[in-house]
Amino acid sequence: MDHSELMMPAHGELCPSSYDSYCLNGGTCYILRTSKVFCWCDDSFRGSRCEEFLLQSQKPDRSINQSVAVIVAALLVTLALSIIGIYLCYRRWRQTRGNQRTSSPYHTVATRRVTNIRDIISVRFITRDMDCRPV
């Protein structure tokens, strides 16, 4: 597969042999659906018939486009990993906070729906040996 087959313009067919000399400097001739003749030039020429030679400074720099694509991809991967890391830290923090709440004597009293003072006192004595740091 040569260069011209890789980059064929949309909606075009190769020109018949009667157009062999239409495109200059190795350009490939196509006839578009609008019946317009079109020349696909290689990287060193431009113009409707590939008649203009491009100096090195005028050629499109495709390496810049590739560099930008690599940088954007790296930034997206970094962003995704950062979001995953933040989510995992938040989840761990929330789980730790939930464990602290359920181990406090206040939580125990509130969830048992204590109705008399003896139950409250027994909860207090049971949880006295626990590490009761402020929440």
Side-chain angles (χ1 to χ4, degrees), residues 1-123:
M1 196 180 282
D2 66 0
H3 174 71
S4 61
E5 290 175 358
L6 289 174
M7 316 245 338
M8 183 178 134
H11 313 295
E13 296 177 7
L14 287 171
C15 294
S17 60
S18 59
Y19 285 88
D20 281 348
S21 61
Y22 182 79
C23 296
L24 307 172
N25 300 310
T28 306
C29 181
Y30 292 96
I31 295 182
L32 304 178
R33 285 193 178 174
T34 58
S35 299
K36 181 180 177 186
V37 179
F38 174 80
C39 291
W40 186 261
C41 308
D42 71 5
D43 289 342
S44 300
F45 297 92
R46 72 174 178 196
S48 62
R49 295 183 62 195
C50 304
E51 70 277 7
E52 297 176 36
F53 177 73
L54 286 175
L55 298 173
Q56 187 66 29
S57 61
Q58 295 174 318
K59 291 182 184 178
D61 190 4
R62 293 190 177 136
S63 64
I64 291 176
N65 292 339
Q66 291 171 349
S67 300
V68 170
V70 168
I71 291 170
V72 168
L75 287 174
L76 288 174
V77 167
T78 303
L79 178 65
L81 291 175
S82 298
I83 290 172
I84 290 170
I86 290 169
Y87 171 74
L88 291 175
C89 288
Y90 171 74
R91 201 169 104 186
R92 188 178 323 141
W93 171 80
R94 191 165 179 201
Q95 185 178 17
T96 303
R97 183 176 164 156
N99 289 344
Q100 288 173 350
R101 280 188 180 164
T102 57
S103 65
S104 76
Y106 306 109
H107 182 267
T108 307
V109 170
T111 56
R112 283 190 183 176
R113 297 182 185 230
V114 234
T115 55
N116 68 40
I117 194 70
R118 287 185 188 169
D119 289 339
I120 295 173
I121 293 171
S122 69
V123 168

